[in-house]
Amino acid sequence: MSTEAASATRTDTARQDRPLRIGTRGSVLATTQAGTVRDALIAAGHPAELVVITTKGDVTPGPVQRIGVGVFTAELREALLAGEVDVAVHSYKDLPTFQDPRMVIAAVPEREDPRDALVARDGMVLGELPPGSKVGTSAPRRRAQLAALGLGLQIEPLRGNIDTRLGKVESGELDAIVIARAGLSRIGRTDRITETLDPVQMLPAPSQGALAVECRADDTELIELLSELDHAPSRAAVVAERSLLAELEAGCTAPVGAIAEVVESLDDDGRVIEELSVRGCAAALDGSDVLRASAVGAPEQAEELGRRVARELLDLGARELMVSHGVVLEQEPADD
């Protein structure tokens, strides 16, 4: 028996005597997200429990783009590789675009609504906010697209958990915040939303609203078990969006938006078929320019469709646009 096979056998045997350990950040949102994976595994007859792990992004103040790529995922992945947990559950958009070959995304559960949401004082929608209104978000993508709308809004930095962010509107410190609808939905706060933003106004972050269920690449039995949680349309959408991001060599904090959706269409013979629609944008940080592109094809072509949209954006000048406005593009990490 090979060393790898022997190690896998020992791991499988040890796991039979305890629940699957699911690594997660400790925020209410993160534990709620990981809890859906735990509950699904338990319902399928696989005992599981959450293990809370603190990440750099949880304890370091300041904008995420200044802290570095993977600030909410690195410690989870280290615990996974060290054998301290069996599974790690991430908000997919927090993962670097380059996948570590020692790990695999074994499942992408059904995705929540990927759109952004506005939470504003007095029940206002975006178009009702007076010029000069203070709108909180630290995401360069949101800042750029909000500025491009030409509404004269004052964009303010925003960090903290969901309750902290909502509290800034309640206290009057901010007139509104822009936040992922998926997070509010998962913790039962959709009643706070005053407008769900149409992607025509604001394209969401690539893979926003999706979860990545990750395990070690050599744990074949666990990969097969977790694959029962996979939702094919959600995975196709995420693959397309992240392929777009990778082709642009843009990190998760770049002003790049994307949304992919499996939609029904008719072929030349009038039969109903499924197609994957992919839209993407790259923006100047100050909102002075937003480049857009799109493509449609078979869901099985998800990776190529995403790259096709990215190449069109590059042809339109996306790289020059982002670099000229101070965006640091993500480079593939060294082998070590």
Side-chain angles (χ1 to χ4, degrees):
M1 181 181 294
S2 68
T3 302
E4 292 82 1
S7 176
T9 299
R10 287 194 299 271
T11 299
D12 295 341
T13 301
R15 198 160 54 223
Q16 290 174 2
D17 301 326
R18 58 168 173 75
L20 286 169
R21 300 164 300 173
I22 301 174
T24 176
R25 294 170 57 204
S27 70
V28 172
L29 176 58
T31 55
T32 300
Q33 292 176 163
T36 64
V37 174
R38 175 201 58 205
D39 295 347
L41 288 169
I42 291 173
H46 310 296
E49 62 185 14
L50 300 186
V51 177
V52 173
I53 295 170
T54 301
T55 70
K56 183 179 180 181
D58 296 317
V59 297
T60 307
V64 173
Q65 58 268 29
R66 293 182 186 173
I67 307 172
V69 174
V71 297
F72 294 117
T73 60
E75 286 80 4
L76 283 170
R77 301 178 106 189
E78 289 169 5
L80 183 62
L81 292 172
E84 297 167 9
V85 297
D86 306 300
V87 181
V89 177
H90 312 281
S91 289
Y92 213 145
K93 70 176 183 177
D94 291 338
L95 284 172
T97 53
F98 296 98
Q99 178 65 29
D100 188 320
R102 297 172 295 174
M103 294 170 283
V104 63
I105 306 300
V108 180
E110 186 169 3
R111 186 185 196 177
E112 284 277 357
D113 188 331
R115 295 176 293 175
D116 283 312
L118 182 79
V119 177
R121 63 176 175 85
D122 304 324
M124 287 190 289
V125 299
L126 191 60
E128 294 173 335
L129 290 170
S133 294
K134 295 181 178 180
V135 179
T137 178
S138 289
R141 169 189 61 82
R142 292 181 182 131
R143 295 177 66 92
Q145 292 185 82
L146 283 170
L149 294 174
L151 299 176
L153 303 173
Q154 182 177 331
I155 312 302
E156 299 288 341
L158 183 68
R159 279 291 306 275
N161 60 35
I162 290 179
D163 285 330
T164 298
R165 298 182 188 205
L166 293 174
K168 292 183 181 294
V169 178
E170 292 176 355
S171 68
E173 181 178 344
L174 297 173
D175 297 297
I177 62 171
V178 179
I179 190 169
R181 179 184 170 87
L184 293 170
S185 176
R186 287 193 172 109
I187 64 170
R189 303 287 178 82
T190 54
D191 60 309
R192 302 296 305 278
I193 296 172
T194 56
E195 182 181 11
T196 298
L197 300 178
D198 191 288
V200 172
Q201 294 174 292
M202 182 174 295
L203 279 175
S207 63
Q208 184 163 291
L211 300 181
V213 182
E214 191 172 46
C215 68
R216 292 179 292 277
D218 61 358
D219 197 339
T220 54
E221 181 177 333
L222 184 54
I223 292 171
E224 183 177 355
L225 185 156
L226 293 173
S227 69
E228 299 172 13
L229 308 181
D230 198 59
H231 184 250
S234 297
R235 181 179 284 270
V238 166
V239 167
E241 294 165 15
R242 289 179 63 82
S243 295
L244 181 155
L245 198 63
E247 188 75 8
L248 289 176
E249 295 182 341
C252 59
T253 59
V256 172
I259 189 168
E261 304 168 282
V262 175
V263 297
E264 289 189 346
S265 183
L266 297 177
D267 66 11
D268 294 337
D269 298 320
R271 293 174 298 189
V272 176
I273 60 171
E274 287 190 338
E275 291 189 312
L276 186 65
S277 167
V278 186
R279 289 177 281 169
C281 76
L285 282 173
D286 62 3
S288 59
D289 198 3
V290 181
L291 305 176
R292 301 180 186 275
S294 62
V296 178
E300 295 77 18
Q301 300 174 307
E303 182 173 354
E304 173 54 30
L305 287 170
R307 294 188 181 278
R308 186 188 307 171
V309 173
R311 288 194 292 268
E312 184 174 343
L313 290 171
L314 290 170
D315 289 343
L316 292 171
R319 190 183 306 279
E320 294 77 11
L321 177 68
M322 291 189 292
V323 170
S324 67
H325 284 76
V327 177
V328 178
L329 300 184
E330 180 179 291
Q331 300 297 322
E332 187 165 1
D335 291 339
D336 60 357

